[in-house]
Amino acid sequence: MAAANAPIAMKEVLTLPSIGISPQFITFTNVTMESDKYICVRETAPQNSVVIIDMNMPMQPLRRPITADSALMNPNSRILALKAQLPGTTQDHLQIFNIEMKAKMKSHQMPEQVVFWKWISPKLLGLVTQTSVYHWSIEGDSEPVKMFERTANLVNNQIINYKCDPSEKWLVLIGIAPGAPEKPQLVKGNMQLFSVDQQRSQALEAHAASFAQFKVPGNENPSILISFATKSFNAGQITSKLHVIELGAQPGKPSFSKKQADLFFPPDFQDDFPVAMQISHKYGLIFVITKLGLLFVYDLETASAVYRNRISPDPIFLTSEASAAGGFYAINRRGQVLLATVNEATIVPFVSGQLNNLELAVNLAKRGNLPGAENLVVQRFQELFAQTKYKEAAELAAESPQGILRTPDTVAKFQSVPVQAGQTPPLLQYFGTLLTRGKLNAFESLELSRLVVNQNKKNLLENWLAEDKLECSEELGDLVKTVDNDLALKIYIKARATPKVVAAFAERREFDKILIYSKQVGYTPDYLFLLQTILRTDPQGAVNFALMMSQMEGGCPVDYNTITDLFLQRNLIREATAFLLDVLKPNLPEHAFLQTKVLEINLVTFPNVADAILANGMFTHYDRPRIAQLCEKAGLFVRALQHYTELPDIKRVIVNTHAIEPQSLVEFFGTLSREWALECMKDLLLVNLRGNLQIIVQVAKEYCEQLGVDACIKLFEQFKSYEGLYFFLGSYLSSSEDPDIHFKYIEAAAKTGQIKEVERVTRESNFYDAEKTKNFLMEAKLPDARPLINVCDRFGFVPDLTHYLYTNNMLRYIEGYVQKVNPGNAPLVVGQLLDDECPEDFIKGLILSVRSLLPVEPLVEECEKRNRLRLLTQFLEHLVSEGSQDVHVHNALGKIIIDSNNNPEHFLTTNPYYDSRVVGKYCEKRDPTLAVVAYRRGQCDDELINVTNKNSLFKLQARYVVERMDGDLWEKVLNPENEYRRQLIDQVVSTALPESKSPEQVSATVKAFMTADLPHELIELLEKIVLQNSAFSGNFNLQNLLILTAIKADPSRVMDYINRLDNFDGPAVGEVAVEAQLYEEAFAIFKKFNLNVQAVNVLLDNIRSIDRAVEFAFRVEEDAVWSQVAKAQLREGLVSDAIESFIRADDATQFLDVIRASEDADVYSDLVRYLLMVRQKVKEPKVDSELIYAYAKTDRLGEIEEFILMPNVANLQNVGDRLFDEALYEAAKIIFAFISNWAKLAVTLVRLKQFQGAVDAARKANSAKTWKEVCFACVDAEEFRLAQICGLNVIIQVDDLEEVSEYYQNRGCFNELISLMESGLGLERAHMGIFTELGVLYARYRAEKLMEHIKLFSTRLNIPKLIRACDEQQHWKELTYLYIQYDEFDNAATTVMNHSPEAWDHMQFKDIIVKVASVELYYKAVHFYLQEHPDLINDMLNVLALRVDHTRVVDIMRKVQFWWK
């Protein structure tokens, strides 16, 4: 059947490879298609990614780098579900992403592996595990819900589909399993049907299934159907069936009878089976798709076969419903995405003609509104009408495909039927049937409405219109208008009868709806007429209508001025104002006239309205001078001021302060320039100073920055208004730092009697001129002295204040100041009172009234300056009696006691509170010894030193310094720059130190002398202490110090001290002596303390006498001493002596140095003795290795053989390499033979000229490198037989072949090399390189054998390399042959023509020339033959006739002929 006439149309929508999908990913596990919207492909190479294909734009796939085991796109929206197995577990991690929002919606970790999953609805995912089935909603935070467990028939099945019905009450799970043993290629299908309501499962055999809804006649509720297809093998027979059954039949209602049909598989498809089923709800058809691409189409209602055909040559593994097209999508293994749809033009004729199933054809046409059954339907209608089966005829007409019977003729036909008494008229039956089926057309709606209107059943019309059963028209509206205007308006609107709708709104006075409706439908009514009509009856409505017109797109259809005039003609001022205020909101320049107009009419009639409009500030383009005059007349002075622009006008208006709100007037001043503002302020003060002062002050406060503070002050001063100045500056004071401003404020406050404010400002302000303010307040003589007290206290005028208060007899303020304001300044007050000769009783009383609050130090200072310190005796004693520990109190009391000579020593030694430095200073001129007592008590070092130096009290100074034990003090007094140092040292040595019994004091003194670098004085002191049987004679530290000092200052005494003293630190002192280069003394110290190692080190390192060291070592016989001697001998190069000493010391630690020195000195015999000793102590590879080497150097080969046979840890490989490198080949041979290093043995034997042994060793080594070395050595020795044996093992290595060849050739061994290569041809591992190299050698040295070699081995040659060799050696014949073999015919032809004497052969050249690629060579060949072989030119031209341009050949011939002539 031609594809155009087929009932099912197939179309290739897309091929997945065309958009970059690799064929390896076009499988059931990688591709998903949940609906006709998206295809999802999971890729794992070159990287993990998911490809989302939108079927609306399939050539623009979306590829995202996502790793997952499976990916599903939501059927409706861009939501992606991903599944991935958690590593190391059998659990799956599920995630749902919103691609558009780029956000994760939810995720869940399944406790078991999900083997299959699918979107069963846009909001629900079905999850199938090995044992159960779950549903997971994408809404909320819900987790998967278990629906049912899998039945036994699905065990070990591959799940291929899972579906649910639209109500989600019925679920079906489908799997496949291997077929029966007798028919294994036929896959078995299993199905599990589950009822959610009954919670029951039924196991069936089926390969594919799907749900559908079908409306059974007589049952208003649709029935749920399931259709499933199965193909099974039983008793040797294959059975293929399609079943359609109803699920959950409704009791008492007509039900769907079970249907079944056979699936007819062609003989070639016996092993094929259904893989998918899709149901077209649009046409009521069942599509069964098989794996091998067969399509079966069945009618859902009758299960009748409609069509069968193969739609894909490749296996189909995935299908999806194409709901909009009424078909389905299918994807095959090739990656084709096929769309199957119903061919609406041919399916009904196909069913009625090809299948001869008229009933099915009519049902299909009615069900899908398809063409092709018109004649059948009309014929059937006439038959029913003739049989008076009007109900059936009405139903047929209502369901007629494409409405072929829904005509006026049909209505007329039913109208013509006479009505039987007691029966429903056929026409009403017809209309009733139409209403139950759907919507009536315009003619049917008009006819039915006419019947209803005649019967006065308006409510039926309302119901039908509400249910959208009638098609509205203007005629229907006219009909209904006779009974109901509202209903008619609805019909007019639905019928888009615009003039009728506008007329209806006008009749109902719903003018606002006219504008809305007109805009919606694009109709333009007469707006001016409508406005005038509304204005007569509803002014406010007219305003609203006018405003609605002003908001219309494209602008108001009526001029604003015209609309305003309409309102004003009827004296509707408020309405006109409301309209204009609304439309003039944009404040456009072109509305200036209207802005002026609205203000004028309101200033004349309603000034308050105009004031509100102006206050709103919504207009800026009106006539301002005109409005200013009107505002002044209306008494709106503020508005007039805002609009006048001339100073005389402003002055005239501004004096009306009684009618102007002060705040508005203040704000107006902010709009004036500085000069105008000051002029206006001056006028206001001239007119009414008292009445306008407050306003002027407020203006000055508000705009002081613009007007200038100085100008404002000048204005107030001009009118001598201190009150104004006070109020103005009071507001400005907090933000000003100008001293003059602050002073003027204080002055104004004082003159206006604001004493409290004066007191506050003087107390808080930091910016007034203190001197100027003080003088002003003293001159003003205010009754309250607190402002003056504030100024003087803050700025240090306390003496002036005290003098002023005392002279003005204001003693009460003096007491108040000292007691309450600032007791800290009482000393200044007392000092000034003393200067003013105030009575002492008043001063004492004043001091005692403050007592502990009084600062003592400045008070004492003030009294001491005036020599009135005794005045404070009672006050100080009172403080001490109260337990005061104040240092200043006790300092002052001490000074009084010292002056009165009242046992001052007792006070200085017992009082713990006075300041020693202050009191000592006070005593210096009165009694220096008292000063020393005070300074000693306070450890005032500098002061004590100064006073004792000044008064030559060095004995006291020496005793103090020794007792003090302070390093810094000692450093100071022993400083060379101290001119009194000698006197102090004498007193320390003669008096202070002998008197001391404290070791610490002695130690500190000695340390100080050392630090001061006074060694001679220190020695003298120490000898007196240590050597003269004092208490410190046996002191360890002092003995050490004496010797060390002598080492530093007088080395000649050191040996005597060493012999006389015993209790000193021998090791430490000995090291110091070494550092001081007193080596004999150091040796004596170490020997005295039996420190033999240190002693011998002095002999070796310092005295440098090895002989004395050896003698000393023989005397003490200590291993450590011999070891030191041995090291020294080794350093001096006395290797044999050193080895002897190391053996005596039994010291094996320095074996590395001994080995190195022995090798340098070539004393290997001694080294053998030493290493044998060392081997008894340590097991070191170095020792054993060096012993072998020493044996080799002394030619003791037998001992080498014996040694390596014994247990040892020598690194024989390294030893052998070393012997080899130093040409000790016999010893190396022993080592290499012992360790079986055949490669090195072979090389060693080569050095020994033992070539046969070398070849044997190389054979054991079997190393290309070894073979090559032996080969080259044999060539050099002209042992060509042995060289060939080695060479054959080398040339089988491609990388080494060229090196061998060059080696032979460089030495002129051409024949031997050729012989080697010829022998290599017969090797089992002979490679192309050998054949090629031999050919190159033939080309260079034996040209007669070259051609034969090339012809014999052309397939085993590296032809390009041999071509280069032949070209270099000019073997043109062989070169031509190689070019032919290499298919380089252009080069072959060129070579023949360039070197024709050697290379040209006519038959060969003809074969070459027809195979060349360059056309130019044809013409070169013609020219060549014309030049060299003209007799054969015809034969050549016959070959080239079809390949050359004959005209060009003729030209060549002519030129040649011309040349001949």
Side-chain angles (χ1 to χ4, degrees):
M1 180 183 295
N5 297 325
I8 303 299
M10 297 301 301
K11 173 186 175 184
E12 181 184 273
V13 179
L14 172 70
T15 60
L16 296 181
S18 69
I19 58 173
I21 304 300
S22 174
Q24 63 177 315
F25 303 124
I26 305 176
T27 63
F28 179 75
T29 57
N30 289 74
V31 182
T32 59
M33 188 175 186
E34 299 297 288
S35 68
D36 55 1
K37 291 183 179 294
Y38 304 103
I39 297 175
C40 194
V41 183
R42 181 175 57 86
E43 297 179 326
T44 57
Q47 62 178 5
N48 293 321
S49 60
V50 172
V51 183
I52 300 170
I53 304 161
D54 190 335
M55 295 304 290
N56 291 325
M57 42 183 181
M59 302 312 292
Q60 301 176 21
L62 178 66
R63 183 175 268 102
R64 288 287 181 267
I66 298 174
T67 302
D69 297 333
S70 180
L72 300 177
M73 279 298 291
N74 187 275
N76 287 353
S77 55
R78 294 176 69 82
I79 293 176
L80 178 65
L82 298 173
K83 174 172 71 73
Q85 186 173 353
L86 294 175
T89 69
T90 58
Q91 301 178 356
D92 277 338
H93 188 64
L94 311 179
Q95 292 181 318
I96 301 175
F97 289 91
N98 189 315
I99 298 177
E100 291 181 341
M101 298 176 63
K102 297 181 180 179
K104 182 170 71 173
M105 297 175 62
K106 61 191 306 184
S107 63
H108 180 71
Q109 185 171 320
M110 288 291 290
E112 51 184 324
Q113 187 176 4
V114 176
V115 298
F116 182 83
W117 65 333
K118 186 175 179 64
W119 288 100
I120 57 175
S121 75
K123 301 293 184 183
L124 208 59
L125 266 171
L127 312 175
V128 183
T129 69
Q130 292 287 0
T131 59
S132 307
V133 176
Y134 298 82
H135 285 182
W136 189 26
S137 173
I138 67 173
E139 297 178 336
D141 298 328
S142 61
E143 295 184 354
V145 178
K146 182 176 179 180
M147 301 304 294
F148 60 89
E149 293 185 354
R150 289 169 53 172
T151 51
N153 68 322
L154 288 175
V155 174
N156 298 325
N157 276 235
Q158 178 188 355
I159 304 301
I160 61 171
N161 213 338
Y162 177 61
K163 293 185 177 182
C164 71
D165 74 305
S167 66
E168 300 179 11
K169 299 297 184 183
W170 294 90
L171 313 173
V172 63
L173 183 64
I174 303 168
I176 56 175
E182 56 271 24
K183 192 73 172 176
Q185 61 272 30
L186 180 59
V187 174
K188 183 179 180 182
N190 294 300
M191 179 178 85
Q192 178 181 357
L193 180 64
F194 180 77
S195 170
V196 177
D197 291 337
Q198 301 176 18
Q199 290 293 302
R200 292 176 56 190
S201 290
Q202 183 177 0
L204 300 168
E205 285 192 8
H207 290 80
S210 188
F211 293 101
Q213 286 186 333
F214 183 79
K215 202 163 186 180
V216 178
N219 188 349
E220 64 277 8
N221 297 321
S223 299
I224 302 297
L225 306 182
I226 184 171
S227 174
F228 57 92
T230 180
K231 186 174 183 180
S232 58
F233 181 78
N234 292 313
Q237 295 293 323
I238 297 176
T239 305
S240 303
K241 293 288 186 182
L242 174 72
H243 301 271
V244 183
I245 60 175
E246 181 179 3
L247 299 175
Q250 304 165 31
K253 301 287 186 179
S255 61
F256 181 87
S257 58
K258 180 179 179 181
K259 307 290 193 305
Q260 74 174 26
D262 292 327
L263 294 173
F264 296 101
F265 283 85
D268 295 342
F269 294 82
Q270 289 302 308
D271 295 332
D272 194 12
F273 60 92
V275 293
M277 177 184 292
Q278 300 291 343
I279 294 180
S280 173
H281 303 286
K282 181 177 180 181
Y283 301 110
L285 296 176
I286 302 173
F287 301 111
V288 180
I289 303 96
T290 71
K291 179 181 180 181
L292 297 183
L294 284 180
L295 170 64
F296 295 90
V297 184
Y298 285 83
D299 178 52
L300 176 65
E301 181 180 4
T302 62
S304 302
V306 176
Y307 179 68
R308 184 192 72 186
N309 193 15
R310 189 174 189 182
I311 60 174
S312 170
D314 297 283
I316 292 176
F317 64 88
L318 187 63
T319 66
S320 179
E321 180 184 3
S323 55
F328 66 91
Y329 284 97
I331 304 177
N332 60 23
R333 289 301 302 274
R334 195 193 304 174
Q336 288 180 299
V337 181
L338 306 173
L339 174 61
T341 56
V342 171
N343 191 336
E344 295 185 345
T346 61
I347 187 169
V348 172
F350 174 81
V351 172
S352 62
Q354 295 288 337
L355 303 183
N356 196 24
N357 191 337
L358 301 181
E359 184 178 359
L360 178 57
V362 172
N363 287 340
L364 276 174
K366 292 192 296 183
R367 192 185 306 147
N369 197 23
L370 300 173
E374 292 83 355
N375 294 335
L376 295 174
V377 173
V378 172
Q379 180 182 349
R380 179 61 178 162
F381 176 76
Q382 292 174 351
E383 291 175 358
L384 292 173
F385 217 85
Q387 296 172 7
T388 68
K389 296 181 179 180
Y390 303 121
K391 181 177 180 182
E392 290 80 356
E395 292 177 351
L396 180 61
E399 297 176 352
S400 60
Q402 299 183 330
I404 58 174
L405 294 177
R406 302 277 293 275
T407 62
D409 292 340
T410 302
V411 174
K413 201 171 185 67
F414 277 104
Q415 283 177 334
S416 64
V417 177
V419 180
Q420 301 294 328
Q423 295 184 356
T424 303
L427 182 61
L428 291 181
Q429 288 186 8
Y430 173 62
F431 285 135
T433 302
L434 292 178
L435 289 171
T436 59
R437 293 294 192 275
K439 185 176 181 179
L440 277 61
N441 58 33
F443 180 75
E444 293 166 346
S445 300
L446 183 60
E447 291 301 322
L448 177 59
S449 299
R450 186 173 284 115
L451 291 175
V452 172
V453 169
N454 292 337
Q455 295 178 9
N456 197 23
K457 294 182 179 179
K458 184 182 69 172
N459 60 322
L460 292 177
L461 285 176
E462 294 175 347
N463 294 336
W464 291 335
L465 285 170
E467 296 172 0
D468 197 24
K469 293 290 188 180
L470 303 179
E471 182 176 338
C472 295
S473 62
E474 188 173 345
E475 294 81 2
L476 180 60
D478 294 341
L479 173 65
V480 175
K481 195 172 188 306
T482 59
V483 294
D484 191 332
N485 288 331
D486 293 342
L487 193 57
L489 177 58
K490 293 180 181 178
I491 294 173
Y492 286 141
I493 292 173
K494 286 187 176 182
R496 300 186 69 83
T498 305
K500 296 288 181 72
V501 175
V502 172
F505 280 135
E507 290 177 5
R508 297 158 60 92
R509 301 189 179 279
E510 295 177 348
F511 300 102
D512 55 337
K513 294 182 179 179
I514 294 176
L515 297 179
I516 299 172
Y517 178 75
S518 299
K519 179 181 177 182
Q520 290 176 348
V521 300
Y523 179 69
T524 307
D526 187 347
Y527 291 106
L528 186 58
F529 171 75
L530 291 173
L531 180 61
Q532 291 172 337
T533 303
I534 301 170
L535 198 57
R536 285 193 291 268
T537 58
D538 186 3
Q540 186 57 44
V543 173
N544 296 336
F545 184 70
L547 292 176
M548 292 181 67
M549 287 195 299
S550 69
Q551 296 169 4
M552 291 176 59
E553 293 183 5
C556 183
V558 182
D559 182 61
Y560 291 159
N561 199 33
T562 303
I563 296 173
T564 304
D565 290 341
L566 287 177
F567 285 112
L568 295 179
Q569 288 170 8
R570 291 168 175 76
N571 199 29
L572 299 174
I573 304 299
R574 295 185 184 278
E575 288 74 5
T577 302
F579 167 71
L580 288 174
L581 289 178
D582 198 287
V583 299
L584 298 180
K585 282 180 181 178
N587 190 23
L588 302 175
E590 55 264 29
H591 293 159
F593 173 75
L594 293 174
Q595 291 180 1
T596 306
K597 189 171 188 176
V598 71
L599 290 171
E600 281 182 348
I601 60 177
N602 282 284
L603 282 170
V604 174
T605 55
F606 304 109
N608 59 332
V609 175
D611 183 51
I613 296 172
L614 291 171
N616 195 22
M618 61 186 296
F619 299 148
T620 58
H621 303 291
Y622 54 87
D623 186 348
R624 297 183 69 86
R626 172 65 179 159
I627 298 304
Q629 294 173 0
L630 293 175
C631 287
E632 186 177 357
K633 291 179 181 178
L636 301 177
F637 296 114
V638 174
R639 302 301 172 198
L641 288 172
Q642 292 171 349
H643 287 77
Y644 277 128
T645 57
E646 299 296 331
L647 184 59
D649 295 331
I650 294 174
K651 284 185 174 183
R652 183 182 68 251
V653 176
I654 203 168
V655 295
N656 297 292
T657 53
H658 62 283
I660 302 176
E661 184 183 357
Q663 184 60 34
S664 301
L665 187 58
V666 171
E667 293 174 358
F668 169 71
F669 269 98
T671 64
L672 298 177
S673 67
R674 178 177 180 275
E675 292 75 12
W676 285 20
L678 290 172
E679 286 291 329
C680 292
M681 292 168 68
K682 189 180 294 183
D683 280 8
L684 288 175
L685 290 175
L686 284 172
V687 171
N688 187 356
L689 175 61
R690 178 59 56 186
N692 293 334
L693 180 61
Q694 187 175 359
I695 293 176
I696 299 303
V697 170
Q698 188 66 26
V699 171
K701 287 181 181 179
E702 192 74 25
Y703 307 111
C704 61
E705 293 185 5
Q706 294 90 330
L707 299 174
V709 177
D710 293 339
C712 294
I713 293 173
K714 186 176 180 181
L715 178 65
F716 287 116
E717 288 179 342
Q718 181 181 349
F719 288 92
K720 296 182 180 180
S721 176
Y722 287 104
E723 184 179 358
L725 193 62
Y726 168 73
F727 286 117
F728 165 65
L729 293 179
S731 63
Y732 183 69
L733 195 69
S734 61
S735 60
S736 172
E737 297 182 2
D738 188 347
D740 195 41
I741 298 294
H742 285 255
F743 174 74
K744 286 183 179 295
Y745 180 73
I746 293 171
E747 183 182 29
K751 290 188 177 182
T752 54
Q754 303 292 333
I755 304 301
K756 289 186 178 180
E757 187 64 15
V758 176
E759 191 275 332
R760 182 190 70 80
V761 175
T762 55
R763 174 168 34 85
E764 297 178 358
S765 174
N766 297 318
F767 306 108
Y768 57 82
D769 187 330
E771 182 72 28
K772 188 175 180 181
T773 304
K774 179 197 73 172
N775 295 335
F776 166 73
L777 293 175
M778 286 183 176
E779 292 172 2
K781 292 188 177 182
L782 299 178
D784 190 343
R786 286 181 297 171
L788 180 61
I789 291 174
N790 290 339
V791 175
C792 294
D793 178 62
R794 293 182 61 197
F795 296 97
F797 301 131
V798 176
D800 294 343
L801 172 65
T802 305
H803 179 71
Y804 171 80
L805 296 176
Y806 180 73
T807 55
N808 286 281
N809 199 25
M810 302 177 78
L811 301 179
R812 178 171 60 86
Y813 283 100
I814 294 177
E815 293 176 346
Y817 173 69
V818 170
Q819 296 171 2
K820 298 179 181 180
V821 178
N822 193 347
N825 281 338
L828 297 175
V829 174
V830 171
Q832 185 60 42
L833 290 174
L834 289 173
D835 292 340
D836 290 339
E837 297 182 356
C838 179
E840 284 190 5
D841 293 339
F842 177 76
I843 297 174
K844 289 180 179 180
L846 186 65
I847 293 172
L848 291 174
S849 68
V850 181
R851 287 190 294 185
S852 59
L853 297 177
L854 189 66
V856 177
E857 184 180 13
L859 179 62
V860 171
E861 184 180 352
E862 292 293 332
C863 293
E864 191 174 352
K865 282 194 299 184
R866 294 166 176 81
N867 200 20
R868 301 288 292 275
L869 198 57
R870 290 180 181 274
L871 179 70
L872 302 178
T873 304
Q874 182 181 359
F875 166 67
L876 295 173
E877 289 176 348
H878 180 76
L879 291 178
V880 171
S881 66
E882 289 182 346
S884 173
Q885 298 179 3
D886 187 352
V887 65
H888 303 297
V889 172
H890 292 271
N891 285 346
L893 192 59
K895 291 176 181 179
I896 294 171
I897 291 173
I898 291 168
D899 285 340
S900 62
N901 197 21
N902 185 13
N903 194 9
E905 292 85 353
H906 180 267
F907 174 83
L908 293 175
T909 55
T910 59
N911 188 293
Y913 304 116
Y914 70 90
D915 187 334
S916 297
R917 189 170 280 105
V918 173
V919 176
K921 184 70 175 175
Y922 190 79
C923 293
E924 282 187 8
K925 292 181 180 181
R926 292 166 174 79
D927 188 347
T929 57
L930 292 178
V932 171
V933 173
Y935 288 146
R936 179 192 295 272
R937 173 257 189 193
Q939 293 186 352
C940 302
D941 299 338
D942 294 340
E943 291 79 2
L944 189 144
I945 297 302
N946 290 334
V947 73
T948 52
N949 286 340
K950 187 176 180 181
N951 296 280
S952 300
L953 302 175
F954 297 114
K955 185 179 290 186
L956 295 177
Q957 184 183 121
R959 287 171 178 166
Y960 175 75
V961 172
V962 170
E963 294 172 1
R964 185 81 169 81
M965 293 185 294
D966 181 80
D968 295 335
L969 179 59
W970 274 112
E971 182 181 2
K972 182 175 181 180
V973 298
L974 295 179
N975 192 313
E977 297 179 1
N978 181 11
E979 59 180 318
Y980 305 105
R981 184 175 73 162
R982 185 67 255 175
Q983 294 92 321
L984 174 66
I985 292 174
D986 292 342
Q987 291 299 325
V988 169
V989 173
S990 64
T991 304
L993 200 59
E995 291 177 356
S996 175
K997 301 300 180 182
S998 170
E1000 289 79 8
Q1001 292 179 0
V1002 174
S1003 176
T1005 304
V1006 171
K1007 183 177 179 182
F1009 274 70
M1010 292 174 61
T1011 305
D1013 194 19
L1014 300 171
H1016 297 288
E1017 291 81 354
L1018 181 60
I1019 291 173
E1020 181 182 355
L1021 177 64
L1022 291 175
E1023 282 185 345
K1024 188 174 183 180
I1025 296 174
V1026 175
L1027 299 178
Q1028 295 183 6
N1029 297 321
S1030 70
F1032 302 102
S1033 297
N1035 187 283
F1036 177 78
N1037 292 327
L1038 293 179
Q1039 289 191 11
N1040 285 332
L1041 183 59
L1042 177 60
I1043 298 176
L1044 292 175
T1045 306
I1047 289 173
K1048 182 177 180 183
D1050 191 357
S1052 61
R1053 299 186 183 186
V1054 174
M1055 188 63 78
D1056 180 50
Y1057 292 157
I1058 292 171
N1059 294 328
R1060 293 177 63 183
L1061 300 177
D1062 296 317
N1063 190 22
F1064 61 91
D1065 189 345
V1069 174
E1071 293 297 334
V1072 174
V1074 171
E1075 292 176 3
Q1077 299 183 359
L1078 301 177
Y1079 303 129
E1080 292 296 342
E1081 288 82 352
F1083 178 69
I1085 292 170
F1086 290 137
K1087 188 166 67 171
K1088 183 174 185 176
F1089 284 87
N1090 291 323
L1091 300 172
N1092 297 324
V1093 174
Q1094 288 89 329
V1096 79
N1097 282 340
V1098 171
L1099 293 174
L1100 292 170
D1101 299 336
N1102 305 116
I1103 300 176
R1104 298 186 178 279
S1105 174
I1106 293 180
D1107 294 338
R1108 286 182 63 185
V1110 171
E1111 179 186 353
F1112 181 73
F1114 273 113
R1115 187 164 61 250
V1116 297
E1117 282 296 340
E1118 288 185 10
D1119 290 347
V1121 174
W1122 276 116
S1123 181
Q1124 296 299 321
V1125 172
K1127 292 175 185 177
Q1129 291 171 331
L1130 193 63
R1131 285 195 299 272
E1132 295 298 324
L1134 305 174
V1135 181
S1136 297
D1137 293 343
I1139 290 174
E1140 185 65 32
S1141 296
F1142 275 123
I1143 294 173
R1144 282 180 172 278
D1146 201 20
D1147 183 0
T1149 58
Q1150 305 297 317
F1151 66 86
L1152 293 176
D1153 294 335
V1154 174
I1155 291 170
R1156 192 179 306 111
S1158 299
E1159 290 176 351
D1160 294 340
D1162 196 20
V1163 288
Y1164 290 101
S1165 297
D1166 294 332
L1167 179 60
V1168 168
R1169 290 193 303 116
Y1170 174 73
L1171 292 177
L1172 289 173
M1173 180 274 292
V1174 173
R1175 285 194 78 239
Q1176 297 175 5
K1177 294 181 174 294
V1178 296
K1179 297 297 181 183
E1180 281 286 339
K1182 177 70 174 177
V1183 174
D1184 288 2
S1185 299
E1186 290 297 330
L1187 182 57
I1188 295 173
Y1189 181 75
Y1191 280 146
K1193 292 293 285 184
T1194 55
D1195 200 24
R1196 295 156 72 173
L1197 301 180
E1199 294 183 28
I1200 292 176
E1201 293 178 348
E1202 292 177 5
F1203 180 80
I1204 61 178
L1205 291 174
M1206 294 188 300
N1208 64 84
V1209 292
N1211 190 330
L1212 296 178
Q1213 179 63 51
N1214 291 345
V1215 173
D1217 292 341
R1218 183 180 178 189
L1219 294 173
F1220 179 85
D1221 294 338
E1222 296 190 16
L1224 299 173
Y1225 298 124
E1226 290 294 345
K1229 181 177 72 172
I1230 296 172
I1231 299 298
F1232 290 138
F1234 180 77
I1235 64 176
S1236 301
N1237 189 337
W1238 309 116
K1240 294 293 289 187
L1241 178 61
V1243 178
T1244 304
L1245 292 173
V1246 165
R1247 298 290 191 277
L1248 294 172
K1249 306 298 183 180
Q1250 300 176 11
F1251 297 109
Q1252 183 60 54
V1255 171
D1256 294 339
R1259 185 176 290 109
K1260 293 178 182 179
N1262 197 22
S1263 162
K1265 180 181 177 182
T1266 305
W1267 280 119
K1268 188 162 55 177
E1269 290 181 1
V1270 177
C1271 174
F1272 291 168
C1274 291
V1275 170
D1276 293 338
E1278 297 185 358
E1279 293 284 345
F1280 293 113
R1281 182 183 63 81
L1282 296 176
Q1284 182 167 330
I1285 294 173
C1286 299
L1288 290 174
N1289 289 280
V1290 177
I1291 63 175
I1292 58 175
Q1293 305 294 332
V1294 178
D1295 297 334
D1296 298 327
L1297 172 64
E1298 205 167 310
E1299 185 180 356
V1300 172
S1301 177
E1302 289 180 1
Y1303 198 86
Y1304 270 87
Q1305 292 182 70
N1306 291 338
R1307 286 153 182 78
C1309 304
F1310 308 123
N1311 294 330
E1312 290 79 3
L1313 176 60
I1314 291 173
S1315 175
L1316 171 63
M1317 294 298 172
E1318 288 175 345
S1319 300
L1321 297 182
L1323 293 175
E1324 182 180 354
R1325 295 171 58 189
H1327 51 80
M1328 180 180 288
I1330 298 176
F1331 291 91
T1332 304
E1333 189 65 26
L1334 182 58
V1336 172
L1337 293 173
Y1338 282 153
R1340 291 176 179 171
Y1341 311 117
R1342 291 188 185 175
E1344 68 277 4
K1345 302 184 73 172
L1346 178 59
M1347 181 59 81
E1348 179 185 1
H1349 180 72
I1350 292 172
K1351 290 182 178 179
L1352 283 175
F1353 304 111
S1354 60
T1355 59
R1356 305 194 66 178
L1357 294 172
N1358 183 343
I1359 293 178
K1361 182 176 181 181
L1362 197 52
I1363 284 174
R1364 290 194 298 273
C1366 291
D1367 191 18
E1368 292 172 359
Q1369 303 300 322
Q1370 299 184 1
H1371 299 309
W1372 310 118
K1373 187 174 182 180
E1374 291 81 355
L1375 179 62
T1376 303
Y1377 183 82
L1378 287 171
Y1379 277 137
I1380 294 170
Q1381 293 299 313
Y1382 202 54
D1383 293 338
E1384 290 192 6
F1385 298 104
D1386 291 30
N1387 291 334
T1390 303
T1391 303
V1392 170
M1393 289 187 286
N1394 292 338
H1395 307 283
S1396 57
E1398 294 87 2
W1400 178 76
D1401 179 83
H1402 179 59
M1403 298 306 294
Q1404 184 188 53
F1405 189 75
K1406 284 199 300 181
D1407 292 339
I1408 294 172
I1409 199 64
V1410 296
K1411 298 178 181 178
V1412 298
S1414 174
V1415 178
E1416 287 299 319
L1417 288 176
Y1418 297 152
Y1419 303 107
K1420 289 183 179 179
V1422 172
H1423 192 274
F1424 167 72
Y1425 265 78
L1426 287 173
Q1427 293 286 344
E1428 297 192 11
H1429 304 285
D1431 54 326
L1432 299 175
I1433 187 66
N1434 288 332
D1435 191 17
M1436 175 58 63
L1437 289 176
N1438 286 333
V1439 174
L1440 298 176
L1442 299 177
R1443 293 176 171 81
V1444 296
D1445 181 354
H1446 294 182
T1447 304
R1448 185 173 176 184
V1449 172
V1450 170
D1451 289 342
I1452 295 172
M1453 297 286 287
R1454 284 175 178 170
K1455 291 178 182 178
V1456 173
Q1457 288 175 2
F1458 177 81
W1459 178 75
W1460 282 342
K1461 293 178 182 179

